[in-house]
Amino acid sequence: MKIANIVGARPQFIKLAPLSSEIREDFEEVIIHTGQHYDVNMSRSFFETLQIPKPDYNLEVGSGSQSAQTGKMLKRIEDVLSYEQPDLVIVYGDTNSTLAGAISSSKSHIPVGHMEAGLRSFNRQMPEEINRICTDKVSKYLFCPTPTAIDNLQSEGIERGIFLIGDLMFEALKKNIQIARQNSSILENLNVKDNDFCLLTIHRAENTNCKERLKSIIAAFEEIDREIIFPAHPRFQKYLHKYKLDAQLPDNIRLIDPVDYLDILILQENAEVIFTDSGGMQKEALWLKTPCITLRDETEWIELIQLETNTLVGADTEKIIDNYKKMKDLTEFQIPDYYEFDFQKFKSLVS
Ligand code: UD1
């Protein structure tokens, strides 16, 4: 049996790593990289650190508008699938690479398995929400990471192919945190210590592409008496210059280039508080027992809000400051069992 993995963006490389090594034990594997992320520190460094085999194909689609990028991928994925003829395609998460992979495969009559199925923000302005909904509709196997994801699919009338399977990012983290603690020198390099800094990331279009939201978020850090380490996604850098906000960045924010997976784990584990609009980091914050303040109006991971380790503040300056004060001394972090990924269940379902 041949399984093709389609990936393209940073969080997908992390999800692919633990599954890829299991797939290779029992099946033939093909890795198709769409080329959505192409900078070395957004792509190749993840393959090296996570010891993922070099992709069999790199489709080099690069940047573009939502539809242009997705369209280019559709055509190029179709060509590879028609040559490789896999028995199953696995797609991950909610990016344009996920959507293109799912549509190309299902139109080529190849069954699709969607990892992280059923997540919803209920905000259709987000490109990721459209990607999730469409991918779930055409997938044969809906691999859900949380009970909420199952409820979401059922309430959309999907009845078959839904499985609670766990979270691949949890497995990647468990496997790599010890290695990170031994090998990462990011704290020394940045000259920061446990709990004496906060970590910030902003990359979602709803934040980066809106001047008012960006201004309002960065203004909050004037009032937070901590050094703020900010590994900046290229899209943030681009819009910061475009909106001429460089000069308004408070002095305590330290912009650095995106860091590799081991370093981001260490930064998250040692930060006093994480401020982010990333989906993956909200969960990693819980698993690493660091309070998280989410710079969005909604989240797909509502269990984190219920567990009270994460709080939603949107782009509101005052809410960011108030919640920092409330969250920074949090000590209770309960990790639900359902995050454990069931590899045996995956193998027996797809065989
Ligand atoms: C994508 C996903 C998002 C995911 C994120 C992880 C979609 C719609 N969004 O967003 O769900 O959380 O990846 O990072 O698929 N760029 C570079 N170098 C790179 C990659 C991107 O410079 O290696 C720049 C380009 O100018 C590009 C911009 O970043 O226009 C945005 O990249 P894009 O591929 O649109 O998606 P992300 O914002 O990274």
Side-chain angles (χ1 to χ4, degrees):
M1 180 175 175
K2 190 194 274 188
I3 299 183
N5 282 304
I6 300 182
V7 290
R10 208 165 39 167
Q12 294 169 327
F13 312 141
I14 301 168
K15 290 164 201 164
L16 170 64
L19 192 63
S20 168
S21 61
E22 293 281 338
I23 287 177
R24 270 175 281 140
E25 279 179 10
D26 295 294
F27 310 103
E28 188 184 343
E29 184 194 40
V30 178
I31 297 179
I32 304 169
H33 186 328
T34 62
Q36 176 170 355
H37 284 175
Y38 43 85
D39 287 353
V40 172
N41 57 9
M42 299 281 285
S43 175
R44 201 171 72 210
S45 84
F46 284 77
F47 279 79
E48 287 168 3
T49 305
L50 291 160
Q51 298 179 331
I52 308 167
K54 193 167 176 285
D56 300 277
Y57 297 89
N58 190 321
L59 309 181
E60 295 182 349
V61 297
S63 306
S65 68
Q66 293 290 321
S67 297
Q69 190 181 52
T70 311
K72 260 195 207 169
M73 289 180 195
L74 281 172
K75 167 81 184 81
R76 295 182 194 179
I77 293 170
E78 183 180 59
D79 292 344
V80 174
L81 294 179
S82 115
Y83 178 73
E84 287 286 346
Q85 298 285 328
D87 302 289
L88 175 68
V89 166
I90 305 286
V91 296
Y92 300 80
D94 59 14
T95 74
N96 292 340
S97 301
T98 317
L99 175 67
I103 293 183
S104 264
S105 310
S106 56
K107 280 182 168 283
S108 305
H109 308 294
I110 300 165
V112 179
H114 182 202
M115 289 293 165
E116 275 193 11
L119 296 182
R120 296 291 181 267
S121 65
F122 303 99
N123 173 2
R124 290 201 182 196
Q125 297 299 309
M126 290 175 71
E128 291 87 354
E129 183 76 350
I130 307 298
N131 295 343
R132 294 181 193 119
I133 294 169
C134 300
T135 300
D136 285 341
K137 292 286 188 258
V138 298
S139 295
K140 174 173 177 183
Y141 300 102
L142 296 158
F143 296 115
C144 297
T146 61
T148 311
I150 295 196
D151 294 344
N152 289 339
L153 291 172
Q154 286 171 342
S155 63
E156 287 175 20
I158 301 176
E159 274 157 18
R160 277 177 305 160
I162 303 176
F163 308 98
L164 185 65
I165 194 104
D167 196 313
L168 287 167
M169 289 190 95
F170 187 52
E171 300 304 323
L173 183 140
K174 282 192 298 187
K175 199 169 156 197
N176 286 287
I177 187 64
Q178 287 300 350
I179 304 171
R181 286 179 190 137
Q182 275 155 20
N183 295 346
S184 168
S185 46
I186 189 78
L187 300 180
E188 293 80 26
N189 294 347
L190 295 173
N191 196 19
V192 289
K193 287 199 290 296
D194 189 17
N195 264 329
D196 77 351
F197 70 97
C198 294
L199 182 65
L200 168 65
T201 74
I202 307 172
H203 77 275
R204 295 262 168 208
E206 73 226 49
N207 285 329
T208 56
N209 303 17
C210 174
K211 186 174 180 184
E212 287 315 309
R213 286 182 72 98
L214 267 187
K215 261 174 83 169
S216 174
I217 292 172
I218 59 182
F221 296 98
E222 293 269 13
E223 304 300 322
I224 293 179
D225 189 17
R226 275 277 180 244
E227 182 161 32
I228 312 292
I229 301 293
F230 182 0
H233 185 286
R235 196 219 299 271
F236 172 85
Q237 304 260 25
K238 189 162 94 186
Y239 280 90
L240 190 73
H241 301 318
K242 184 172 167 189
Y243 295 143
K244 303 197 170 41
L245 290 173
D246 309 60
Q248 292 187 31
L249 214 58
D251 290 343
N252 58 333
I253 294 189
R254 193 150 137 208
L255 280 188
I256 59 172
D257 285 337
V259 295
D260 82 5
Y261 180 59
L262 299 183
D263 289 343
I264 200 74
L265 291 183
I266 293 302
L267 287 174
Q268 290 186 89
E269 185 171 49
N270 289 280
E272 181 188 42
V273 172
I274 297 170
F275 300 88
T276 189
D277 60 6
S278 152
M281 284 177 59
Q282 294 174 51
K283 295 177 289 174
E284 287 170 339
L286 166 68
W287 302 330
L288 294 168
K289 304 192 165 109
T290 302
C292 185
I293 295 181
T294 297
L295 306 166
R296 290 181 48 198
D297 299 322
E298 66 286 301
T299 179
E300 302 75 31
W301 306 101
I302 59 157
E303 49 292 321
L304 301 174
I305 306 295
Q306 289 155 358
L307 290 164
E308 298 180 2
T309 63
N310 186 14
T311 177
L312 283 176
V313 296
D316 186 313
T317 311
E318 291 310 316
K319 277 195 189 163
I320 296 172
I321 299 166
D322 288 351
N323 278 282
Y324 166 73
K325 290 179 192 150
K326 277 190 211 138
M327 299 283 289
K328 68 185 179 52
D329 297 316
L330 193 76
T331 49
E332 277 288 301
F333 296 88
Q334 275 174 22
I335 304 176
D337 294 340
Y338 52 71
Y339 288 122
E340 300 266 345
F341 192 89
D342 191 340
F343 291 105
Q344 284 317 315
K345 184 170 172 181
F346 168 78
K347 288 181 184 176
S348 66
L349 281 168
V350 303
S351 299

